[in-house]
Amino acid sequence: MSAKGLLPAQTRMGFSPRTMRKTDFAGDLQREMDGWMAAASLRRAIEGPRVSGRVRVNAGAGGENTPVSLVLGGDGFCGWPTALHLSEHGHKVIIVDNLLRRKIDDELGTQSLTPITSPQERVAAWKEVSGKDIEFIEMDVSSNLAEVMDLMEKYKPDNIIHFAEIRAAPYSMKTPGNKAETVRNNLLGVHNVLIGMLEHVPDAHLIHLGTMGVYGYGTVDGAIPEGYVNVCMGSKEMEIVAPYHPGSVYHTTKCLDNVLFNFYVKNDQLRITDLHQGIVWGVETPETSRDPRLVNRLDVDSDYGTVLNRFAVQSALGLDITPYGTGGQTRAFINIADTARCIRIATENPPDRGERVKIFNQVAESHRVRDLAGMMEKLSPAGAQVKMVPNPRNEKAENELDVINQNFRSFGWDPVMLDQGKAQELVDTIVKHKDRLIKTNLNPSSFWGKKQADACTKEPEPVAA
């Protein structure tokens, strides 16, 4: 059963070419995209996949043509399954991580719902089950430029997969210190990597995990484009990066990352792909499921738990399922296994030197939050019920969302779609590990401002006798 049968049509994302709403500009943009896609499909049918520069595909593990991929942040929720997936598909993988995400667990008094092992145990287990080596290096790419330069010089990577950023919007808004550290960590980390590339591997391909949140929600009249829009400035027509509209300090850093990318592409012709990813759901992938020691982390707390995973734990344990505000926020989603697949596809389709930053919308579908809550209520084995709670964020109560994601689709990507069976698998995983849940971390503890904090923390009015 597909998600199409579960949720209202207005909350789903269509993938076939469509005419955007209301403006001639939007229609022109879609027609241009359709024409580009048709030309790209024809080129691939005639020429096959485009491979440029240092990219090496279809090589046996350990051979001279094996692509070398640094996975920065490779111990995290998205980084770990991506590292395994690339290794499984013939890449020589080096994970670089400062283990900040594990330290934040200690800071917040929480833990992964799934019992993750140490990085050393993880890579040893992968060697046992696959016969493939993954190297692990503990390093903070944001704090020591010299170490980053040495890393690039030693390994000469073909691909640099950059997950090594503080990734949670609520965490980035929690305190003044969190705001400052999110900006410092994320921007200095990206910039150090760019400098290291320029000095030692200028032909490498940087693949950066961005976010759909750079566009904002409810700010575009029509479908959200893949990074670029055509505009008129006076009498001159030009194509520019789609306007940013971030909703948190975290999202703002992703916008600033893109500014840095565009400068280094313009000035130094670096090869960069920026992936604007939707909200990730799920926990296991074909690779992580091969051994319990390979299990991916699963965050369900209010700072790091993504909305569907948070609803799933509430459903599994019979707790109130708590959409924020009206639950009318519509968001884009992608399964964790597709995160890894899309990264691999990006490694196989790099931009050429001098080509603009490639921007792909890495999303599979869109859903309204209250509809997801309703689905998880129906699946609850413990009688959980939906209960709206005040919104800790400063955002629109209701929005529509339509997203163009033709680039990955043109490469043959067939995404995992959310349906009742997939949602049930997630609930079952949570029930298996329910004894590890720290329930006090489910309620919001990070607020976008005083107004939101007051609304979320005030005592309920007493009921009149």
Side-chain angles (χ1 to χ4, degrees):
M1 183 178 182
S2 70
K4 187 173 182 179
L6 287 170
L7 302 176
Q10 66 267 26
T11 69
R12 300 193 306 268
M13 180 191 311
F15 294 110
S16 59
R18 64 178 76 79
T19 301
M20 296 188 203
R21 299 183 292 275
K22 297 184 180 179
T23 64
D24 291 338
F25 157 71
D28 290 343
L29 175 60
Q30 183 62 53
R31 285 188 286 274
E32 182 176 335
M33 285 290 299
D34 292 344
W36 182 88
M37 293 300 300
S41 297
L42 179 60
R43 177 189 62 76
R44 278 190 303 279
I46 297 172
E47 302 175 6
R50 174 181 290 172
V51 179
S52 60
R54 291 164 50 85
V55 171
R56 303 171 245 177
V57 298
N58 298 326
E64 63 178 10
N65 290 325
T66 300
V68 177
S69 295
L70 291 180
V71 182
L72 311 180
D75 186 54
F77 175 56
C78 292
W80 174 242
T82 298
L84 296 186
H85 184 72
L86 292 177
S87 177
E88 179 67 12
H89 284 265
H91 291 234
K92 174 180 171 58
V93 174
I94 302 96
I95 290 175
V96 179
D97 202 299
N98 65 350
L99 307 184
L100 176 61
R101 182 64 194 87
R102 294 178 185 244
K103 296 168 188 173
I104 289 174
D105 275 349
D106 295 336
E107 172 195 331
L108 298 177
T110 189
Q111 62 184 357
S112 167
L113 193 66
T114 49
I116 57 174
T117 58
S118 71
Q120 293 79 9
E121 290 175 284
R122 283 177 147 186
V123 298
W126 178 245
K127 173 69 171 179
E128 284 184 33
V129 303
S130 72
K132 299 178 174 67
D133 289 301
I134 292 179
E135 186 173 350
F136 171 74
I137 300 171
E138 187 170 350
M139 178 191 295
D140 182 355
V141 298
S142 74
S143 64
N144 194 317
L145 175 59
E147 287 187 352
V148 175
M149 301 271 276
D150 291 344
L151 181 77
M152 300 296 177
E153 184 176 25
K154 176 179 179 180
Y155 289 99
K156 301 291 186 185
D158 302 293
N159 305 294
I160 303 162
I161 320 299
H162 193 10
F163 298 107
E165 296 184 279
I166 294 173
R167 67 170 175 85
Y171 183 81
S172 78
M173 300 295 291
K174 199 174 194 71
T175 68
N178 286 41
K179 293 175 181 179
E181 179 58 17
T182 299
V183 172
R184 187 209 66 79
N185 180 85
N186 293 5
L187 292 184
L188 285 183
V190 162
H191 199 223
N192 285 349
V193 169
L194 289 168
I195 294 171
M197 285 180 64
L198 180 60
E199 293 302 314
H200 293 294
V201 281
D203 202 37
H205 180 201
L206 174 63
I207 300 169
H208 172 258
L209 193 70
T211 170
M212 285 295 298
V214 301
Y215 299 116
Y217 297 100
T219 60
V220 176
D221 184 16
I224 293 176
E226 299 210 86
Y228 297 93
V229 294
N230 291 324
V231 299
C232 283
M233 299 187 71
S235 60
K236 185 177 181 181
E237 292 188 5
M238 63 179 62
E239 190 174 51
I240 64 171
V241 175
Y244 307 126
H245 199 78
S248 72
V249 171
Y250 156 72
H251 292 110
T252 301
T253 65
K254 296 293 190 177
C255 299
L256 296 172
D257 289 343
N258 192 259
V259 173
L260 286 171
F261 297 153
N262 278 284
F263 169 75
Y264 277 94
V265 167
K266 179 188 74 170
N267 195 66
D268 301 294
Q269 296 77 53
L270 295 185
R271 303 195 303 164
I272 300 174
T273 297
D274 200 5
L275 304 176
H276 291 172
Q277 179 166 261
I279 297 170
V280 183
W281 63 273
V283 58
E284 293 285 31
T285 69
E287 289 80 25
T288 65
S289 62
R290 290 171 67 175
D291 188 285
R293 295 167 295 172
L294 301 175
V295 68
N296 198 21
R297 68 176 299 125
L298 176 59
D299 300 307
V300 296
D301 62 280
S302 62
D303 280 327
Y304 272 86
T306 59
V307 62
L308 184 60
N309 287 353
R310 190 167 57 84
F311 288 172
V313 75
Q314 292 168 331
S315 170
L317 303 182
L319 307 173
D320 288 336
I321 300 172
T322 53
Y324 296 154
T326 67
Q329 308 92 340
T330 304
R331 298 291 183 262
F333 292 86
I334 185 171
N335 180 262
I336 184 62
D338 279 321
T339 293
R341 294 187 190 104
C342 286
I343 295 290
R344 176 176 55 79
I345 291 170
T347 68
E348 296 166 357
N349 295 276
D352 293 320
R353 290 294 298 272
E355 187 178 342
R356 70 183 185 184
V357 177
K358 274 192 173 182
I359 300 178
F360 292 175
N361 290 338
Q362 189 165 300
V363 299
E365 56 194 325
S366 63
H367 298 296
R368 198 177 299 278
V369 167
R370 60 173 170 256
D371 296 326
L372 293 176
M375 178 174 67
M376 300 312 289
E377 181 182 57
K378 292 177 182 177
L379 292 176
S380 175
Q385 294 184 327
V386 174
K387 179 184 177 182
M388 305 295 179
V389 298
N391 195 342
R393 303 184 181 218
N394 181 12
E395 63 185 2
K396 286 189 173 184
E398 307 269 339
N399 72 277
E400 300 298 325
L401 183 64
D402 194 16
V403 183
I404 293 173
N405 75 339
Q406 302 270 18
N407 284 332
F408 274 124
R409 300 288 291 193
S410 74
F411 296 129
W413 176 49
D414 184 19
V416 175
M417 307 298 280
L418 177 62
D419 59 21
Q420 188 165 318
K422 293 294 182 184
Q424 186 66 60
E425 289 176 14
L426 182 56
V427 170
D428 292 344
T429 298
I430 290 167
V431 170
K432 180 180 177 182
H433 300 292
K434 64 181 180 180
D435 292 341
R436 292 177 52 83
L437 177 68
I438 301 173
K439 293 183 181 180
T440 54
N441 292 323
L442 293 177
N443 296 324
S445 59
S446 299
F447 309 102
W448 267 236
K450 186 176 185 302
K451 177 181 177 182
Q452 288 78 26
D454 289 345
C456 291
T457 57
K458 74 177 182 178
E459 294 293 329
E461 296 291 334
V463 178

